[in-house]
Amino acid sequence: AQSVTQLDSQVPVFEEAPVELRCNYSSSVSVYLFWYVQYPNQGLQLLLKYLSGSTLVKGINGFEAEFNKSQTSFHLRKPSVHISDTAEYFCAVSVPGGGNKLTFGTGTQLKVEL
Amino acid sequence: EAQVTQNPRYLITVTGKKLTVTCSQNMNHEYMSWYRQDPGLGLRQIYYSMNVEVTDKGDVPEGYKVSRKEKRNFPLILESPSPNQTSLYFCASRPTGGLGLEQYFGPGTRLTVT
């Protein structure tokens, strides 16, 4: 079975600073990787996904993530954050042919301060 | 507008009083799923459905029931709610087939069982 670890439960950062949210996964087979964002009192929205090919994936709102197979990581980055990026971010993994199931990490609360 | 809707958005109830949370999608998706979100635990899958009349248990199915009589609807039923089912619930849908297709989430239902 696959699992996802998000070690940082909260990440405070000042506006316009860069940020990295960490995600590590465990799986015995190849995986698809996702980052979702949850703004306050809203559902989850897909930021980006890695299926195959280029290991650097660009998503919405200026976010990007890099798939590192050797380190089993899929860290999310943004070079300059805005107040509006304050939200909870979830890393998730699914397995090809795994019945569409998404396994989520525990989430990282990003708080952007002035 | 393509969307997943849930009702009610907020619900406070008492132990043992049967309730149903509705979920509807207008994207003609075959796959639908229910998750619960709890602090520090991320999202965990309760039940999912691959198509009409096809449902299966997720990771935390105890105390819940579902049905899928129509493609668009996937209600979550709590026959005898208990306080440990106090949580934030999300419905999601996606088409089957293809690789790593995005799941679309509803806005969530916050349930409190006293």
Side-chain angles (χ1 to χ4, degrees):
Chain A
Q2 61 272 21
S3 65
V4 178
T5 301
Q6 293 180 250
L7 287 174
D8 305 308
S9 59
Q10 293 187 31
V11 173
V13 62
F14 288 110
E15 192 173 34
E16 298 184 6
V19 71
E20 178 180 86
L21 306 184
R22 297 182 293 168
C23 172
N24 289 89
Y25 69 93
S26 173
S27 175
S28 58
V29 298
S30 297
V31 297
Y32 300 139
L33 293 157
F34 305 80
W35 275 100
Y36 281 85
V37 60
Q38 183 182 27
Y39 297 106
N41 300 313
Q42 294 187 27
L44 278 73
Q45 178 183 0
L46 182 68
L47 269 180
L48 49 79
K49 62 183 177 183
Y50 171 80
L51 305 182
S52 65
S54 173
T55 57
L56 183 62
V57 179
K58 294 190 182 297
I60 62 171
N61 301 339
F63 284 93
E64 63 181 33
E66 185 156 18
F67 170 61
N68 188 319
K69 188 175 182 179
S70 63
Q71 296 187 5
T72 60
S73 67
F74 191 54
H75 301 332
L76 181 71
R77 302 186 183 100
K78 186 169 182 178
S80 175
V81 295
H82 300 127
I83 287 285
S84 59
D85 292 322
T86 294
E88 188 152 24
Y89 292 79
F90 292 94
C91 183
V93 63
S94 71
V95 175
N100 302 293
K101 179 182 176 181
L102 273 176
T103 299
F104 285 88
T106 52
T108 297
Q109 179 67 43
L110 175 65
K111 184 174 182 181
V112 181
E113 303 168 351
L114 291 172
Chain B
E1 179 189 356
Q3 60 183 349
V4 178
T5 57
Q6 296 178 226
N7 283 292
R9 293 289 312 279
Y10 302 91
L11 179 59
I12 301 174
T13 189
V14 296
T15 299
K17 186 176 181 181
K18 181 179 179 179
L19 67 91
T20 299
V21 183
T22 64
C23 172
S24 183
Q25 50 93 5
N26 61 1
M27 296 168 280
N28 202 36
H29 288 166
E30 293 84 7
Y31 176 88
M32 298 186 74
S33 180
W34 276 103
Y35 297 87
R36 61 177 288 174
Q37 181 182 6
D38 301 290
L41 297 177
L43 281 81
R44 295 176 292 169
Q45 190 180 56
I46 303 170
Y47 268 95
Y48 65 96
S49 170
M50 299 292 284
N51 213 323
V52 176
E53 301 291 1
V54 181
T55 63
D56 208 348
K57 297 177 181 179
D59 297 320
V60 288
E62 294 77 21
Y64 304 95
K65 285 177 57 177
V66 294
S67 69
R68 188 90 182 273
K69 299 188 187 309
E70 302 171 284
K71 198 172 187 179
R72 71 176 71 181
N73 296 324
F74 190 45
L76 179 69
I77 303 157
L78 284 73
E79 297 255 349
S80 183
S82 62
N84 64 12
Q85 293 178 299
T86 292
S87 187
L88 180 58
Y89 292 86
F90 288 101
C91 181
S93 74
R94 56 154 282 181
T96 53
L99 298 176
L101 295 176
E102 174 184 355
Q103 287 199 27
Y104 293 83
F105 285 81
T109 295
R110 187 168 293 280
L111 172 66
T112 301
V113 183
T114 60

